[in-house]
Amino acid sequence: MILPTPSAMNMVFGSKTTYAMLMLIYMVVTYVVTKAIEGSRYGYYLFAIRDDEEAASAAGVNPLLARTGAMCTSAFLTAIGGSLFAQYFLFLDPTNVISPELSFQFALIPALGGLGTAIGPVLGAFVITPLSELLRSYFGGGAAGLHLAIYGAVLIIVMLYFPSGIAGALMRHLTWKGDSAR
């Protein structure tokens, strides 16, 4: 149990606004780190390994080293996010952290936003989080589990009609608008 004594040292704050600002700052930092990796030589190595591991290896990229580095970076950023999550709620319960709903939500957010993009998870979170809260408040306890079926339907629709997610659809739309303006 985390001591609920409000102080910056305990990372316990009296206002939820402080947590929101802290999470927003963390989201921006994570986005900047992701964009920096995406545009770096290391990012190109990861893209090459994703597209064709054998060709990347033949070009001199060590797939094991690159994937291990990507996993460590991901684990580092996830651990910070998890600690912020724990500080916000002041406790962790296995039913809250390992629930199927949370697992589906974590898988759906980047898929909806756009896999393989830095902005995709941000866009997905801005859609899924309000949708989750609206579904939970609308259906309440009367239709338990229905929101998971709606998540599944949203995921199927996105994968069928927008396989590159919201980010890919926006990029196509912006490119199309730019081409038609000429």
Side-chain angles (χ1 to χ4, degrees):
M1 175 88 166
I2 299 170
L3 296 176
T5 307
S7 75
M9 187 63 136
N10 290 340
M11 288 281 296
V12 176
F13 306 105
S15 169
K16 297 293 183 187
T17 307
T18 308
Y19 286 108
M21 292 305 296
L22 190 60
M23 296 293 183
L24 182 64
I25 291 168
Y26 181 66
M27 182 192 73
V28 169
V29 167
T30 302
Y31 178 76
V32 168
V33 167
T34 304
K35 284 302 281 184
I37 290 172
E38 190 177 279
S40 70
R41 177 181 291 208
Y42 179 65
Y44 289 122
Y45 288 171
L46 293 174
F47 286 131
I49 292 167
R50 178 195 66 191
D51 293 340
D52 189 349
E53 186 174 339
E54 292 167 357
S57 182
V61 176
N62 183 346
L64 179 63
L65 184 63
R67 286 181 188 220
T68 303
M71 179 109 41
C72 289
T73 304
S74 173
F76 173 75
L77 293 172
T78 303
I80 293 172
S83 68
L84 293 173
F85 181 85
Q87 291 300 130
Y88 178 76
F89 289 106
L90 297 178
F91 74 97
L92 290 178
D93 182 26
T95 58
N96 292 342
V97 181
I98 311 174
S99 69
E101 177 184 353
L102 196 59
S103 298
F104 292 145
Q105 197 169 4
F106 286 157
L108 186 59
I109 286 173
L112 180 67
L115 294 171
T117 63
I119 195 69
V122 175
L123 294 173
F126 277 117
V127 171
I128 291 297
T129 304
L131 178 65
S132 169
E133 294 303 318
L134 285 172
L135 290 173
R136 202 169 311 143
S137 69
Y138 183 72
F139 293 119
L146 185 59
H147 61 287
L148 295 177
I150 293 172
Y151 278 167
V154 168
L155 182 60
I156 290 169
I157 289 168
V158 167
M159 289 294 116
L160 286 176
Y161 297 107
F162 305 106
S164 56
I166 295 170
L170 286 175
M171 289 304 293
R172 278 194 310 276
H173 180 70
L174 293 174
T175 303
W176 180 76
K177 287 284 187 187
D179 289 343
S180 64
R182 291 182 201 170

